[in-house]
Amino acid sequence: MRTQVAIVGAGPSGLLLGQLLHKAGIDAVIVERVSGEYVLGRIRAGILEQVSIDLMDEAGVGARMHKEGLVHGGFEMLFAGERHRVDLDKLTGGKHVMVYGQTELTRDLMEARAAAGLPTVYEAKNVRVHDYDGTQPYVTYEKDGKSERIDCDFIAGCDGFHGVCRASVPRSAIKEYEKVYPFGWLGMLSDTPPVNHELIYVNSPRGFALCSQRSATRSRYYLQVPLTDKVEEWTDDAFWQELKHRLDDKGRRDLVTGPSLEKSIAPLRSFVTEPLRFGRMFLAGDAGHIVPPTGAKGLNLAATDVKFLHDAIVEFYKENSEAGIDDYSRKCLARIWRAERFSWWFTQLMHRFPHDEAITSKFQNAELDYLMNSESGMKTIAENYVGLPLDFGTASG
Ligand code: RFL
Ligand code: PHB
């Protein structure tokens, strides 16, 4: 088989890239390790920044998102027993975010791809990338016991943190920066109305909690838990009890409990790979970087990588120029490091770390108190949360 771009991974990055390239008249084949149903079963992100909303529109798959997505012009921060609202709309001159689950976004992209008859190989085993240092890279895999090969001009590594693309790069050609946090997030999805019409980020003496949602009838909650906890040990009742402990009186009154649809524990990590381009192979999304989910940045960063990669590939084919390709890493990394910083900062501000001294939570509360009572402090949180502009700071490098 021959194509222009071989995309490894059919998560949000791979599917969005495939759709944008298709719109630009560029062929791509996607190879994915697991089944489509498995991909859709992963409950992950919930918050889209404007750049991601715009890209879904550009890819021609935004209709359901605009119908069902919930526009949020603010969120709440609960600490020292009190709530404070971050008015995104007012603090950023009218910007907002949208609650639309990663599952739904992925489904929209998958359906558009299937409707356009574009090739995706699901359950491809033993995927390998070859010769990306030259001009004739190729991807091999096994499917139904047969070995297959895709010849291409470019390889897009959209295969997530545990993917094969980054792992195939010689260690001498890559630098990885990593911080692993000493706790995880236990997430629970339930068909119950959300406790609040906006998200609530909670810093409590018992640890962080997040009250999020997917719709007016579906809630998504998270609890900070020790890494040693096992998800099977957390009954639904235990989850609701612990969430109530971490909420305020109003939250305890308003919380509607019910059976869980899904529960899982995710570790938290900050991770960045430099560079993101290796000859004719590019890393995009979680394949190149991970943020702790506190800042809701992972999916949005993936979407911006994909935008920059799409623009660079289009420039290559339509204008016969490699300038975009050459600049891919630099452009992505400038944005990535800003989001990494925000996500790390917001994580350390909102969580309880295992060996913290009593004074640390006092520092956290003092910082939160300062931020909530300062116009510039509030603006800092708001402008990072809605997402910094794509060209932020590029003039000065
Ligand atoms: P994905 O989604 O991991 O998809 C990669 C795909 O590649 C496949 N793959 C392979 N395919 C072929 N061959 C191989 N050898 C392969 N190895 C892997 C995998 O099966 C998979 O289908 O990466 P992608 O597309 O870059 O998307 C990134 C996002 O999934 C991720 O950044 C977000 O989910 C992060 N995230 C959040 N981001 C936000 O922007 N807002 C949020 O509110 C938000 N909340 C979250 C999150 C992540 C969470 N977890 C579970 C870490 C909440 C949580 C709890
Ligand atoms: C979610 O709804 O899954 C979600 C929302 C905000 C975050 C992280 C996760 O910061």
Side-chain angles (χ1 to χ4, degrees):
M1 200 182 336
R2 172 146 191 104
T3 190
Q4 290 173 296
V5 184
I7 301 175
V8 184
S13 301
L15 288 168
L16 183 60
L17 180 63
Q19 204 59 27
L20 290 170
L21 290 175
H22 170 61
K23 288 268 157 195
I26 296 167
D27 288 336
V29 175
I30 304 185
V31 278
E32 164 62 54
R33 187 167 48 90
V34 297
S35 67
E37 297 79 68
Y38 189 93
V39 172
L40 285 177
R42 291 192 287 232
I43 313 292
R44 287 186 173 178
I47 299 287
L48 302 184
E49 295 174 5
Q50 192 63 44
V51 279
S52 304
I53 299 169
D54 292 346
L55 279 171
M56 287 291 281
D57 285 334
E58 201 179 319
V61 293
R64 195 166 68 98
M65 175 188 72
H66 285 293
K67 208 159 93 219
E68 296 177 15
L70 306 170
V71 172
H72 280 204
F75 65 86
E76 302 219 62
M77 306 262 287
L78 168 57
F79 64 94
E82 277 188 39
R83 292 192 197 186
H84 305 258
R85 182 161 187 269
V86 180
D87 189 334
L88 298 173
D89 220 336
K90 202 176 92 202
L91 290 158
T92 64
K95 292 191 184 150
H96 53 253
V97 293
M98 187 185 273
V99 171
Y100 192 63
Q102 180 166 330
T103 313
E104 305 310 320
L105 172 144
T106 307
R107 190 189 305 281
D108 294 342
L109 287 162
M110 253 183 195
E111 284 177 1
R113 190 164 179 84
L118 303 173
T120 312
V121 183
Y122 283 101
E123 299 181 87
K125 302 293 163 228
N126 201 18
V127 176
R128 295 280 176 266
V129 290
H130 309 266
D131 289 1
Y132 47 81
D133 271 342
T135 52
Q136 295 173 319
Y138 62 101
V139 173
T140 55
Y141 61 93
E142 286 154 26
K143 174 80 184 169
D144 302 328
K146 285 206 335 238
S147 299
E148 307 283 353
R149 170 175 167 143
I150 306 172
D151 290 288
C152 55
D153 298 328
F154 297 106
I155 297 172
C158 300
D159 50 350
F161 182 65
H162 300 288
V164 66
C165 293
R166 189 182 75 251
S168 77
V169 175
R171 295 298 89 188
S172 57
I174 195 167
K175 178 121 182 72
E176 295 176 344
Y177 299 86
E178 181 172 46
K179 177 177 181 65
V180 179
Y181 297 83
F183 41 73
W185 275 21
L186 168 64
M188 187 212 254
L189 191 69
S190 74
D191 271 335
T192 51
V195 66
N196 189 44
H197 66 290
E198 292 180 339
L199 271 63
I200 313 177
Y201 288 83
V202 187
N203 175 324
S204 94
R206 299 175 69 102
F208 171 82
L210 171 60
C211 306
S212 183
Q213 54 190 261
R214 291 292 176 271
S215 69
T217 55
R218 183 168 283 191
S219 303
R220 178 71 168 161
Y221 295 109
Y222 296 98
L223 294 174
Q224 173 188 350
V225 294
L227 278 173
T228 44
D229 277 18
K230 302 268 170 295
V231 68
E232 314 77 66
E233 292 162 0
W234 276 91
T235 62
D236 291 358
D237 272 356
F239 187 100
W240 293 120
Q241 278 311 321
E242 186 55 35
L243 182 58
K244 280 184 184 168
H245 281 311
R246 297 186 192 189
L247 282 171
D248 55 354
D249 285 342
K250 176 169 165 46
R252 278 186 278 276
R253 272 198 310 275
D254 294 345
L255 187 68
V256 181
T257 63
S260 64
L261 301 173
E262 188 263 3
K263 281 205 289 283
S264 52
I265 295 183
L268 266 67
R269 146 185 356 255
S270 298
F271 175 84
V272 181
T273 299
E274 290 186 348
L276 295 169
R277 178 222 176 159
F278 305 90
R280 290 217 169 187
M281 181 171 78
F282 305 88
L283 303 180
D286 280 14
H289 44 84
I290 298 285
V291 282
T294 329
K297 291 279 162 268
L299 178 58
N300 295 298
L301 273 185
T304 28
D305 288 356
V306 163
K307 179 187 168 37
F308 291 143
L309 184 52
H310 159 268
D311 292 352
I313 292 175
V314 169
E315 195 179 318
F316 175 87
Y317 285 116
K318 310 274 159 155
E319 295 170 30
N320 204 14
S321 159
E322 299 202 9
I325 286 172
D326 289 340
D327 206 27
Y328 173 73
S329 269
R330 189 203 60 81
K331 232 172 154 173
C332 290
L333 284 164
R335 189 173 168 77
I336 290 163
W337 278 115
R338 288 183 182 122
E340 290 279 348
R341 184 212 65 83
F342 174 67
S343 303
W344 157 76
W345 170 79
F346 203 34
T347 301
Q348 59 87 27
L349 186 64
M350 297 303 288
H351 291 72
R352 297 293 155 130
F353 285 68
H355 303 293
D356 275 357
E357 294 142 328
I359 197 169
T360 309
S361 64
K362 291 283 189 187
F363 287 152
Q364 284 182 336
N365 280 348
E367 183 169 1
L368 282 161
D369 188 43
Y370 157 69
L371 290 165
M372 296 297 118
N373 288 291
S374 148
E375 173 85 5
S376 40
M378 287 291 243
K379 273 196 172 144
T380 296
I381 297 183
E383 71 180 11
N384 278 280
Y385 194 82
V386 298
L388 296 173
L390 278 183
D391 54 359
F392 184 85
T394 45
S396 59

